[in-house]
PDB file of all heavy atoms in Angstrom:
ATOM      1  N   GLU A   1       0.833  -1.208   0.000  1.00 95.00           N
ATOM      2  CA  GLU A   1       0.000   0.000   0.000  1.00 95.00           C
ATOM      3  C   GLU A   1       0.869   1.260   0.000  1.00 95.00           C
ATOM      4  O   GLU A   1       0.562   2.232  -0.688  1.00 95.00           O
ATOM      5  CB  GLU A   1      -0.933   0.008   1.215  1.00 95.00           C
ATOM      6  CG  GLU A   1      -1.980  -1.080   1.182  1.00 95.00           C
ATOM      7  CD  GLU A   1      -2.710  -1.222   2.509  1.00 95.00           C
ATOM      8  OE1 GLU A   1      -2.110  -0.939   3.576  1.00 95.00           O
ATOM      9  OE2 GLU A   1      -3.881  -1.632   2.473  1.00 95.00           O
ATOM     10  N   ILE A   2       1.926   1.243   0.796  1.00 95.00           N
ATOM     11  CA  ILE A   2       2.863   2.369   0.831  1.00 95.00           C
ATOM     12  C   ILE A   2       3.490   2.557  -0.542  1.00 95.00           C
ATOM     13  O   ILE A   2       3.571   3.677  -1.061  1.00 95.00           O
ATOM     14  CB  ILE A   2       3.943   2.163   1.910  1.00 95.00           C
ATOM     15  CG1 ILE A   2       3.318   2.242   3.300  1.00 95.00           C
ATOM     16  CG2 ILE A   2       5.075   3.186   1.767  1.00 95.00           C
ATOM     17  CD1 ILE A   2       4.239   1.826   4.421  1.00 95.00           C
ATOM     18  N   THR A   3       3.929   1.461  -1.143  1.00 95.00           N
ATOM     19  CA  THR A   3       4.556   1.523  -2.465  1.00 95.00           C
ATOM     20  C   THR A   3       3.602   2.108  -3.493  1.00 95.00           C
ATOM     21  O   THR A   3       3.974   3.004  -4.265  1.00 95.00           O
ATOM     22  CB  THR A   3       5.029   0.120  -2.900  1.00 95.00           C
ATOM     23  OG1 THR A   3       5.924  -0.391  -1.911  1.00 95.00           O
ATOM     24  CG2 THR A   3       5.709   0.162  -4.250  1.00 95.00           C
ATOM     25  N   LYS A   4       2.370   1.636  -3.511  1.00 97.00           N
ATOM     26  CA  LYS A   4       1.380   2.152  -4.464  1.00 97.00           C
ATOM     27  C   LYS A   4       1.114   3.636  -4.221  1.00 97.00           C
ATOM     28  O   LYS A   4       1.085   4.432  -5.161  1.00 97.00           O
ATOM     29  CB  LYS A   4       0.078   1.369  -4.383  1.00 97.00           C
ATOM     30  CG  LYS A   4      -0.944   1.861  -5.416  1.00 97.00           C
ATOM     31  CD  LYS A   4      -2.257   1.142  -5.315  1.00 97.00           C
ATOM     32  CE  LYS A   4      -3.299   1.624  -6.293  1.00 97.00           C
ATOM     33  NZ  LYS A   4      -3.213   2.941  -6.828  1.00 97.00           N
ATOM     34  N   SER A   5       0.949   4.017  -2.967  1.00 96.00           N
ATOM     35  CA  SER A   5       0.700   5.428  -2.634  1.00 96.00           C
ATOM     36  C   SER A   5       1.873   6.307  -3.057  1.00 96.00           C
ATOM     37  O   SER A   5       1.682   7.420  -3.562  1.00 96.00           O
ATOM     38  CB  SER A   5       0.444   5.587  -1.136  1.00 96.00           C
ATOM     39  OG  SER A   5      -0.749   4.948  -0.774  1.00 96.00           O
ATOM     40  N   TYR A   6       3.091   5.810  -2.856  1.00 97.00           N
ATOM     41  CA  TYR A   6       4.280   6.578  -3.238  1.00 97.00           C
ATOM     42  C   TYR A   6       4.352   6.734  -4.755  1.00 97.00           C
ATOM     43  O   TYR A   6       4.573   7.839  -5.258  1.00 97.00           O
ATOM     44  CB  TYR A   6       5.534   5.895  -2.689  1.00 97.00           C
ATOM     45  CG  TYR A   6       6.770   6.755  -2.772  1.00 97.00           C
ATOM     46  CD1 TYR A   6       6.874   7.914  -2.023  1.00 97.00           C
ATOM     47  CD2 TYR A   6       7.837   6.401  -3.582  1.00 97.00           C
ATOM     48  CE1 TYR A   6       8.009   8.710  -2.087  1.00 97.00           C
ATOM     49  CE2 TYR A   6       8.978   7.180  -3.645  1.00 97.00           C
ATOM     50  CZ  TYR A   6       9.052   8.339  -2.894  1.00 97.00           C
ATOM     51  OH  TYR A   6      10.177   9.127  -2.953  1.00 97.00           O
ATOM     52  N   ILE A   7       4.133   5.670  -5.465  1.00 97.00           N
ATOM     53  CA  ILE A   7       4.159   5.732  -6.929  1.00 97.00           C
ATOM     54  C   ILE A   7       3.059   6.652  -7.448  1.00 97.00           C
ATOM     55  O   ILE A   7       3.283   7.448  -8.376  1.00 97.00           O
ATOM     56  CB  ILE A   7       4.068   4.319  -7.539  1.00 97.00           C
ATOM     57  CG1 ILE A   7       5.380   3.570  -7.271  1.00 97.00           C
ATOM     58  CG2 ILE A   7       3.771   4.367  -9.036  1.00 97.00           C
ATOM     59  CD1 ILE A   7       5.349   2.091  -7.587  1.00 97.00           C
ATOM     60  N   ASP A   8       1.892   6.587  -6.829  1.00 97.00           N
ATOM     61  CA  ASP A   8       0.796   7.469  -7.225  1.00 97.00           C
ATOM     62  C   ASP A   8       1.117   8.940  -6.976  1.00 97.00           C
ATOM     63  O   ASP A   8       0.600   9.821  -7.661  1.00 97.00           O
ATOM     64  CB  ASP A   8      -0.496   7.098  -6.473  1.00 97.00           C
ATOM     65  CG  ASP A   8      -1.093   5.781  -6.937  1.00 97.00           C
ATOM     66  OD1 ASP A   8      -0.683   5.261  -8.003  1.00 97.00           O
ATOM     67  OD2 ASP A   8      -1.980   5.260  -6.220  1.00 97.00           O
ATOM     68  N   ALA A   9       1.964   9.222  -5.993  1.00 98.00           N
ATOM     69  CA  ALA A   9       2.323  10.600  -5.652  1.00 98.00           C
ATOM     70  C   ALA A   9       3.408  11.181  -6.555  1.00 98.00           C
ATOM     71  O   ALA A   9       3.589  12.403  -6.596  1.00 98.00           O
ATOM     72  CB  ALA A   9       2.781  10.673  -4.202  1.00 98.00           C
ATOM     73  N   ILE A  10       4.108  10.345  -7.296  1.00 98.00           N
ATOM     74  CA  ILE A  10       5.234  10.823  -8.106  1.00 98.00           C
ATOM     75  C   ILE A  10       4.826  11.906  -9.113  1.00 98.00           C
ATOM     76  O   ILE A  10       5.530  12.911  -9.236  1.00 98.00           O
ATOM     77  CB  ILE A  10       5.994   9.645  -8.753  1.00 98.00           C
ATOM     78  CG1 ILE A  10       6.763   8.914  -7.647  1.00 98.00           C
ATOM     79  CG2 ILE A  10       6.933  10.116  -9.861  1.00 98.00           C
ATOM     80  CD1 ILE A  10       7.450   7.649  -8.074  1.00 98.00           C
ATOM     81  N   PRO A  11       3.694  11.798  -9.814  1.00 98.00           N
ATOM     82  CA  PRO A  11       3.312  12.902 -10.717  1.00 98.00           C
ATOM     83  C   PRO A  11       3.104  14.231  -9.988  1.00 98.00           C
ATOM     84  O   PRO A  11       3.452  15.293 -10.519  1.00 98.00           O
ATOM     85  CB  PRO A  11       2.021  12.409 -11.367  1.00 98.00           C
ATOM     86  CG  PRO A  11       2.087  10.922 -11.268  1.00 98.00           C
ATOM     87  CD  PRO A  11       2.804  10.645  -9.971  1.00 98.00           C
ATOM     88  N   ILE A  12       2.582  14.178  -8.783  1.00 98.00           N
ATOM     89  CA  ILE A  12       2.379  15.405  -8.008  1.00 98.00           C
ATOM     90  C   ILE A  12       3.727  15.986  -7.601  1.00 98.00           C
ATOM     91  O   ILE A  12       3.959  17.199  -7.708  1.00 98.00           O
ATOM     92  CB  ILE A  12       1.500  15.116  -6.766  1.00 98.00           C
ATOM     93  CG1 ILE A  12       0.101  14.684  -7.213  1.00 98.00           C
ATOM     94  CG2 ILE A  12       1.430  16.327  -5.835  1.00 98.00           C
ATOM     95  CD1 ILE A  12      -0.708  13.997  -6.140  1.00 98.00           C
ATOM     96  N   ILE A  13       4.634  15.135  -7.138  1.00 98.00           N
ATOM     97  CA  ILE A  13       5.973  15.580  -6.760  1.00 98.00           C
ATOM     98  C   ILE A  13       6.698  16.150  -7.978  1.00 98.00           C
ATOM     99  O   ILE A  13       7.362  17.192  -7.894  1.00 98.00           O
ATOM    100  CB  ILE A  13       6.781  14.429  -6.120  1.00 98.00           C
ATOM    101  CG1 ILE A  13       6.116  13.982  -4.807  1.00 98.00           C
ATOM    102  CG2 ILE A  13       8.231  14.832  -5.877  1.00 98.00           C
ATOM    103  CD1 ILE A  13       6.653  12.683  -4.237  1.00 98.00           C
ATOM    104  N   ARG A  14       6.554  15.503  -9.111  1.00 98.00           N
ATOM    105  CA  ARG A  14       7.173  15.991 -10.351  1.00 98.00           C
ATOM    106  C   ARG A  14       6.678  17.392 -10.696  1.00 98.00           C
ATOM    107  O   ARG A  14       7.464  18.275 -11.046  1.00 98.00           O
ATOM    108  CB  ARG A  14       6.886  15.034 -11.495  1.00 98.00           C
ATOM    109  CG  ARG A  14       7.517  15.462 -12.799  1.00 98.00           C
ATOM    110  CD  ARG A  14       7.286  14.407 -13.887  1.00 98.00           C
ATOM    111  NE  ARG A  14       8.003  14.772 -15.077  1.00 98.00           N
ATOM    112  CZ  ARG A  14       7.413  15.054 -16.229  1.00 98.00           C
ATOM    113  NH1 ARG A  14       6.104  14.982 -16.356  1.00 98.00           N
ATOM    114  NH2 ARG A  14       8.133  15.385 -17.273  1.00 98.00           N
ATOM    115  N   THR A  15       5.373  17.616 -10.560  1.00 98.00           N
ATOM    116  CA  THR A  15       4.799  18.934 -10.834  1.00 98.00           C
ATOM    117  C   THR A  15       5.369  19.978  -9.871  1.00 98.00           C
ATOM    118  O   THR A  15       5.710  21.095 -10.286  1.00 98.00           O
ATOM    119  CB  THR A  15       3.259  18.875 -10.735  1.00 98.00           C
ATOM    120  OG1 THR A  15       2.787  17.959 -11.722  1.00 98.00           O
ATOM    121  CG2 THR A  15       2.628  20.233 -10.949  1.00 98.00           C
ATOM    122  N   GLN A  16       5.482  19.611  -8.577  1.00 98.00           N
ATOM    123  CA  GLN A  16       6.076  20.527  -7.600  1.00 98.00           C
ATOM    124  C   GLN A  16       7.519  20.862  -7.977  1.00 98.00           C
ATOM    125  O   GLN A  16       7.933  22.019  -7.904  1.00 98.00           O
ATOM    126  CB  GLN A  16       6.066  19.900  -6.208  1.00 98.00           C
ATOM    127  CG  GLN A  16       4.719  19.829  -5.553  1.00 98.00           C
ATOM    128  CD  GLN A  16       4.809  19.140  -4.201  1.00 98.00           C
ATOM    129  OE1 GLN A  16       5.398  18.066  -4.074  1.00 98.00           O
ATOM    130  NE2 GLN A  16       4.237  19.768  -3.188  1.00 98.00           N
ATOM    131  N   LEU A  17       8.274  19.845  -8.367  1.00 98.00           N
ATOM    132  CA  LEU A  17       9.680  20.060  -8.716  1.00 98.00           C
ATOM    133  C   LEU A  17       9.824  20.899  -9.985  1.00 98.00           C
ATOM    134  O   LEU A  17      10.730  21.726 -10.080  1.00 98.00           O
ATOM    135  CB  LEU A  17      10.398  18.719  -8.857  1.00 98.00           C
ATOM    136  CG  LEU A  17      10.611  17.978  -7.541  1.00 98.00           C
ATOM    137  CD1 LEU A  17      11.089  16.554  -7.790  1.00 98.00           C
ATOM    138  CD2 LEU A  17      11.583  18.731  -6.643  1.00 98.00           C
ATOM    139  N   GLN A  18       8.926  20.696 -10.943  1.00 98.00           N
ATOM    140  CA  GLN A  18       8.952  21.533 -12.141  1.00 98.00           C
ATOM    141  C   GLN A  18       8.699  22.992 -11.777  1.00 98.00           C
ATOM    142  O   GLN A  18       9.346  23.896 -12.318  1.00 98.00           O
ATOM    143  CB  GLN A  18       7.924  21.045 -13.161  1.00 98.00           C
ATOM    144  CG  GLN A  18       8.332  19.765 -13.854  1.00 98.00           C
ATOM    145  CD  GLN A  18       7.229  19.195 -14.737  1.00 98.00           C
ATOM    146  OE1 GLN A  18       6.056  19.186 -14.371  1.00 98.00           O
ATOM    147  NE2 GLN A  18       7.620  18.712 -15.900  1.00 98.00           N
ATOM    148  N   ALA A  19       7.764  23.230 -10.854  1.00 98.00           N
ATOM    149  CA  ALA A  19       7.484  24.592 -10.405  1.00 98.00           C
ATOM    150  C   ALA A  19       8.683  25.174  -9.653  1.00 98.00           C
ATOM    151  O   ALA A  19       9.028  26.350  -9.836  1.00 98.00           O
ATOM    152  CB  ALA A  19       6.230  24.614  -9.531  1.00 98.00           C
ATOM    153  N   ASP A  20       9.329  24.352  -8.812  1.00 98.00           N
ATOM    154  CA  ASP A  20      10.539  24.810  -8.112  1.00 98.00           C
ATOM    155  C   ASP A  20      11.621  25.207  -9.115  1.00 98.00           C
ATOM    156  O   ASP A  20      12.217  26.280  -9.005  1.00 98.00           O
ATOM    157  CB  ASP A  20      11.090  23.702  -7.202  1.00 98.00           C
ATOM    158  CG  ASP A  20      10.198  23.381  -6.013  1.00 98.00           C
ATOM    159  OD1 ASP A  20       9.537  24.285  -5.482  1.00 98.00           O
ATOM    160  OD2 ASP A  20      10.184  22.196  -5.615  1.00 98.00           O
ATOM    161  N   ALA A  21      11.868  24.348 -10.090  1.00 98.00           N
ATOM    162  CA  ALA A  21      12.912  24.618 -11.089  1.00 98.00           C
ATOM    163  C   ALA A  21      12.593  25.868 -11.899  1.00 98.00           C
ATOM    164  O   ALA A  21      13.480  26.693 -12.150  1.00 98.00           O
ATOM    165  CB  ALA A  21      13.093  23.406 -11.999  1.00 98.00           C
ATOM    166  N   ALA A  22      11.349  26.026 -12.295  1.00 98.00           N
ATOM    167  CA  ALA A  22      10.948  27.214 -13.063  1.00 98.00           C
ATOM    168  C   ALA A  22      11.100  28.482 -12.223  1.00 98.00           C
ATOM    169  O   ALA A  22      11.541  29.526 -12.726  1.00 98.00           O
ATOM    170  CB  ALA A  22       9.508  27.060 -13.553  1.00 98.00           C
ATOM    171  N   PHE A  23      10.779  28.400 -10.936  1.00 98.00           N
ATOM    172  CA  PHE A  23      10.918  29.548 -10.037  1.00 98.00           C
ATOM    173  C   PHE A  23      12.385  29.922  -9.868  1.00 98.00           C
ATOM    174  O   PHE A  23      12.745  31.106  -9.896  1.00 98.00           O
ATOM    175  CB  PHE A  23      10.275  29.215  -8.686  1.00 98.00           C
ATOM    176  CG  PHE A  23      10.236  30.356  -7.715  1.00 98.00           C
ATOM    177  CD1 PHE A  23       9.470  31.484  -7.964  1.00 98.00           C
ATOM    178  CD2 PHE A  23      10.946  30.293  -6.525  1.00 98.00           C
ATOM    179  CE1 PHE A  23       9.417  32.538  -7.051  1.00 98.00           C
ATOM    180  CE2 PHE A  23      10.905  31.331  -5.610  1.00 98.00           C
ATOM    181  CZ  PHE A  23      10.137  32.453  -5.873  1.00 98.00           C
ATOM    182  N   ILE A  24      13.229  28.920  -9.716  1.00 98.00           N
ATOM    183  CA  ILE A  24      14.666  29.181  -9.602  1.00 98.00           C
ATOM    184  C   ILE A  24      15.182  29.821 -10.883  1.00 98.00           C
ATOM    185  O   ILE A  24      15.879  30.840 -10.850  1.00 98.00           O
ATOM    186  CB  ILE A  24      15.433  27.876  -9.286  1.00 98.00           C
ATOM    187  CG1 ILE A  24      15.059  27.365  -7.890  1.00 98.00           C
ATOM    188  CG2 ILE A  24      16.949  28.087  -9.412  1.00 98.00           C
ATOM    189  CD1 ILE A  24      15.535  25.946  -7.583  1.00 98.00           C
ATOM    190  N   GLU A  25      14.830  29.237 -12.015  1.00 97.00           N
ATOM    191  CA  GLU A  25      15.295  29.761 -13.311  1.00 97.00           C
ATOM    192  C   GLU A  25      14.816  31.196 -13.527  1.00 97.00           C
ATOM    193  O   GLU A  25      15.563  32.047 -14.003  1.00 97.00           O
ATOM    194  CB  GLU A  25      14.810  28.841 -14.433  1.00 97.00           C
ATOM    195  CG  GLU A  25      15.524  29.035 -15.751  1.00 97.00           C
ATOM    196  CD  GLU A  25      14.849  30.050 -16.656  1.00 97.00           C
ATOM    197  OE1 GLU A  25      13.632  30.251 -16.522  1.00 97.00           O
ATOM    198  OE2 GLU A  25      15.550  30.645 -17.493  1.00 97.00           O
ATOM    199  N   ALA A  26      13.595  31.494 -13.134  1.00 97.00           N
ATOM    200  CA  ALA A  26      13.037  32.842 -13.331  1.00 97.00           C
ATOM    201  C   ALA A  26      13.667  33.876 -12.400  1.00 97.00           C
ATOM    202  O   ALA A  26      13.670  35.066 -12.707  1.00 97.00           O
ATOM    203  CB  ALA A  26      11.526  32.809 -13.107  1.00 97.00           C
ATOM    204  N   ASN A  27      14.225  33.429 -11.268  1.00 96.00           N
ATOM    205  CA  ASN A  27      14.732  34.367 -10.268  1.00 96.00           C
ATOM    206  C   ASN A  27      16.240  34.406 -10.122  1.00 96.00           C
ATOM    207  O   ASN A  27      16.750  35.191  -9.335  1.00 96.00           O
ATOM    208  CB  ASN A  27      14.095  34.047  -8.908  1.00 96.00           C
ATOM    209  CG  ASN A  27      12.663  34.485  -8.855  1.00 96.00           C
ATOM    210  OD1 ASN A  27      12.379  35.663  -8.664  1.00 96.00           O
ATOM    211  ND2 ASN A  27      11.738  33.567  -9.065  1.00 96.00           N
ATOM    212  N   ASP A  28      16.953  33.566 -10.856  1.00 96.00           N
ATOM    213  CA  ASP A  28      18.411  33.568 -10.767  1.00 96.00           C
ATOM    214  C   ASP A  28      19.002  34.069 -12.080  1.00 96.00           C
ATOM    215  O   ASP A  28      18.965  33.356 -13.085  1.00 96.00           O
ATOM    216  CB  ASP A  28      18.931  32.166 -10.457  1.00 96.00           C
ATOM    217  CG  ASP A  28      20.429  32.158 -10.183  1.00 96.00           C
ATOM    218  OD1 ASP A  28      21.091  33.206 -10.367  1.00 96.00           O
ATOM    219  OD2 ASP A  28      20.938  31.103  -9.786  1.00 96.00           O
ATOM    220  N   PRO A  29      19.546  35.277 -12.081  1.00 95.00           N
ATOM    221  CA  PRO A  29      20.113  35.809 -13.319  1.00 95.00           C
ATOM    222  C   PRO A  29      21.330  35.032 -13.816  1.00 95.00           C
ATOM    223  O   PRO A  29      21.721  35.165 -14.977  1.00 95.00           O
ATOM    224  CB  PRO A  29      20.492  37.248 -12.966  1.00 95.00           C
ATOM    225  CG  PRO A  29      20.560  37.296 -11.487  1.00 95.00           C
ATOM    226  CD  PRO A  29      19.649  36.223 -10.970  1.00 95.00           C
ATOM    227  N   ALA A  30      21.917  34.184 -12.958  1.00 95.00           N
ATOM    228  CA  ALA A  30      23.107  33.431 -13.359  1.00 95.00           C
ATOM    229  C   ALA A  30      22.784  32.193 -14.182  1.00 95.00           C
ATOM    230  O   ALA A  30      23.668  31.636 -14.826  1.00 95.00           O
ATOM    231  CB  ALA A  30      23.902  33.020 -12.119  1.00 95.00           C
ATOM    232  N   THR A  31      21.542  31.732 -14.161  1.00 95.00           N
ATOM    233  CA  THR A  31      21.215  30.517 -14.904  1.00 95.00           C
ATOM    234  C   THR A  31      20.885  30.839 -16.354  1.00 95.00           C
ATOM    235  O   THR A  31      20.392  31.910 -16.673  1.00 95.00           O
ATOM    236  CB  THR A  31      20.060  29.729 -14.247  1.00 95.00           C
ATOM    237  OG1 THR A  31      19.925  28.481 -14.918  1.00 95.00           O
ATOM    238  CG2 THR A  31      18.756  30.470 -14.326  1.00 95.00           C
ATOM    239  N   THR A  32      21.183  29.890 -17.208  1.00 93.00           N
ATOM    240  CA  THR A  32      20.912  30.083 -18.635  1.00 93.00           C
ATOM    241  C   THR A  32      19.677  29.330 -19.103  1.00 93.00           C
ATOM    242  O   THR A  32      19.119  29.648 -20.146  1.00 93.00           O
ATOM    243  CB  THR A  32      22.124  29.624 -19.475  1.00 93.00           C
ATOM    244  OG1 THR A  32      22.394  28.244 -19.186  1.00 93.00           O
ATOM    245  CG2 THR A  32      23.352  30.468 -19.155  1.00 93.00           C
ATOM    246  N   CYS A  33      19.245  28.309 -18.325  1.00 96.00           N
ATOM    247  CA  CYS A  33      18.079  27.523 -18.728  1.00 96.00           C
ATOM    248  C   CYS A  33      17.622  26.647 -17.571  1.00 96.00           C
ATOM    249  O   CYS A  33      18.360  26.413 -16.625  1.00 96.00           O
ATOM    250  CB  CYS A  33      18.402  26.656 -19.944  1.00 96.00           C
ATOM    251  SG  CYS A  33      19.713  25.456 -19.662  1.00 96.00           S
ATOM    252  N   ILE A  34      16.404  26.165 -17.678  1.00 97.00           N
ATOM    253  CA  ILE A  34      15.838  25.327 -16.614  1.00 97.00           C
ATOM    254  C   ILE A  34      16.588  24.003 -16.488  1.00 97.00           C
ATOM    255  O   ILE A  34      16.715  23.448 -15.400  1.00 97.00           O
ATOM    256  CB  ILE A  34      14.321  25.130 -16.821  1.00 97.00           C
ATOM    257  CG1 ILE A  34      13.674  24.660 -15.510  1.00 97.00           C
ATOM    258  CG2 ILE A  34      14.043  24.183 -17.969  1.00 97.00           C
ATOM    259  CD1 ILE A  34      12.171  24.779 -15.500  1.00 97.00           C
ATOM    260  N   GLU A  35      17.122  23.501 -17.597  1.00 98.00           N
ATOM    261  CA  GLU A  35      17.893  22.254 -17.554  1.00 98.00           C
ATOM    262  C   GLU A  35      19.131  22.406 -16.672  1.00 98.00           C
ATOM    263  O   GLU A  35      19.515  21.474 -15.962  1.00 98.00           O
ATOM    264  CB  GLU A  35      18.288  21.810 -18.965  1.00 98.00           C
ATOM    265  CG  GLU A  35      17.126  21.374 -19.823  1.00 98.00           C
ATOM    266  CD  GLU A  35      16.353  22.531 -20.485  1.00 98.00           C
ATOM    267  OE1 GLU A  35      16.802  23.700 -20.413  1.00 98.00           O
ATOM    268  OE2 GLU A  35      15.288  22.247 -21.067  1.00 98.00           O
ATOM    269  N   GLU A  36      19.746  23.589 -16.701  1.00 98.00           N
ATOM    270  CA  GLU A  36      20.895  23.854 -15.841  1.00 98.00           C
ATOM    271  C   GLU A  36      20.494  23.757 -14.369  1.00 98.00           C
ATOM    272  O   GLU A  36      21.211  23.165 -13.557  1.00 98.00           O
ATOM    273  CB  GLU A  36      21.460  25.241 -16.145  1.00 98.00           C
ATOM    274  CG  GLU A  36      22.647  25.615 -15.283  1.00 98.00           C
ATOM    275  CD  GLU A  36      23.159  27.019 -15.556  1.00 98.00           C
ATOM    276  OE1 GLU A  36      22.497  27.799 -16.271  1.00 98.00           O
ATOM    277  OE2 GLU A  36      24.227  27.338 -15.020  1.00 98.00           O
ATOM    278  N   VAL A  37      19.343  24.308 -14.028  1.00 98.00           N
ATOM    279  CA  VAL A  37      18.842  24.248 -12.656  1.00 98.00           C
ATOM    280  C   VAL A  37      18.674  22.794 -12.230  1.00 98.00           C
ATOM    281  O   VAL A  37      19.142  22.372 -11.172  1.00 98.00           O
ATOM    282  CB  VAL A  37      17.502  25.012 -12.523  1.00 98.00           C
ATOM    283  CG1 VAL A  37      16.863  24.755 -11.159  1.00 98.00           C
ATOM    284  CG2 VAL A  37      17.700  26.498 -12.760  1.00 98.00           C
ATOM    285  N   ILE A  38      18.005  22.012 -13.065  1.00 98.00           N
ATOM    286  CA  ILE A  38      17.698  20.620 -12.732  1.00 98.00           C
ATOM    287  C   ILE A  38      18.962  19.772 -12.633  1.00 98.00           C
ATOM    288  O   ILE A  38      19.095  18.939 -11.734  1.00 98.00           O
ATOM    289  CB  ILE A  38      16.708  20.032 -13.762  1.00 98.00           C
ATOM    290  CG1 ILE A  38      15.342  20.737 -13.619  1.00 98.00           C
ATOM    291  CG2 ILE A  38      16.568  18.527 -13.602  1.00 98.00           C
ATOM    292  CD1 ILE A  38      14.383  20.472 -14.761  1.00 98.00           C
ATOM    293  N   MET A  39      19.899  19.992 -13.515  1.00 97.00           N
ATOM    294  CA  MET A  39      21.085  19.135 -13.585  1.00 97.00           C
ATOM    295  C   MET A  39      22.247  19.594 -12.695  1.00 97.00           C
ATOM    296  O   MET A  39      23.080  18.765 -12.315  1.00 97.00           O
ATOM    297  CB  MET A  39      21.580  19.045 -15.034  1.00 97.00           C
ATOM    298  CG  MET A  39      20.561  18.440 -15.990  1.00 97.00           C
ATOM    299  SD  MET A  39      20.061  16.764 -15.566  1.00 97.00           S
ATOM    300  CE  MET A  39      21.573  15.889 -15.845  1.00 97.00           C
ATOM    301  N   ALA A  40      22.321  20.889 -12.365  1.00 97.00           N
ATOM    302  CA  ALA A  40      23.544  21.384 -11.741  1.00 97.00           C
ATOM    303  C   ALA A  40      23.366  22.158 -10.439  1.00 97.00           C
ATOM    304  O   ALA A  40      24.360  22.434  -9.777  1.00 97.00           O
ATOM    305  CB  ALA A  40      24.296  22.268 -12.747  1.00 97.00           C
ATOM    306  N   TYR A  41      22.165  22.507 -10.056  1.00 97.00           N
ATOM    307  CA  TYR A  41      21.988  23.343  -8.872  1.00 97.00           C
ATOM    308  C   TYR A  41      21.853  22.496  -7.607  1.00 97.00           C
ATOM    309  O   TYR A  41      20.908  21.727  -7.473  1.00 97.00           O
ATOM    310  CB  TYR A  41      20.749  24.229  -9.025  1.00 97.00           C
ATOM    311  CG  TYR A  41      21.023  25.535  -9.743  1.00 97.00           C
ATOM    312  CD1 TYR A  41      21.736  25.572 -10.927  1.00 97.00           C
ATOM    313  CD2 TYR A  41      20.563  26.727  -9.234  1.00 97.00           C
ATOM    314  CE1 TYR A  41      21.988  26.755 -11.585  1.00 97.00           C
ATOM    315  CE2 TYR A  41      20.798  27.926  -9.873  1.00 97.00           C
ATOM    316  CZ  TYR A  41      21.516  27.947 -11.042  1.00 97.00           C
ATOM    317  OH  TYR A  41      21.758  29.127 -11.683  1.00 97.00           O
ATOM    318  N   PRO A  42      22.774  22.647  -6.650  1.00 97.00           N
ATOM    319  CA  PRO A  42      22.663  21.874  -5.417  1.00 97.00           C
ATOM    320  C   PRO A  42      21.392  22.209  -4.628  1.00 97.00           C
ATOM    321  O   PRO A  42      20.828  21.341  -3.965  1.00 97.00           O
ATOM    322  CB  PRO A  42      23.922  22.233  -4.632  1.00 97.00           C
ATOM    323  CG  PRO A  42      24.451  23.457  -5.263  1.00 97.00           C
ATOM    324  CD  PRO A  42      23.959  23.494  -6.671  1.00 97.00           C
TER     325      PRO A  42
END
């Protein structure tokens, strides 16, 4: 049940993370693209 609930939550978590990455990209003048945020930002 935990496994199913966790897997079911992954699309929601993905949406949250996409919003986080877009917010970082929009507010950091040092980034060149959202892919940089996702791949390189600690």
Side-chain angles (χ1 to χ4, degrees):
E1 293 169 330
I2 292 170
T3 303
K4 182 182 178 336
S5 294
Y6 192 66
I7 290 169
D8 289 346
I10 288 174
I12 296 163
I13 296 168
R14 181 176 186 243
T15 298
Q16 287 178 311
L17 289 169
Q18 286 173 319
D20 292 327
F23 185 66
I24 293 168
E25 196 269 334
N27 286 281
D28 187 353
T31 188
T32 58
C33 61
I34 198 165
E35 292 82 8
E36 179 182 10
V37 171
I38 293 167
M39 299 300 293
Y41 273 48

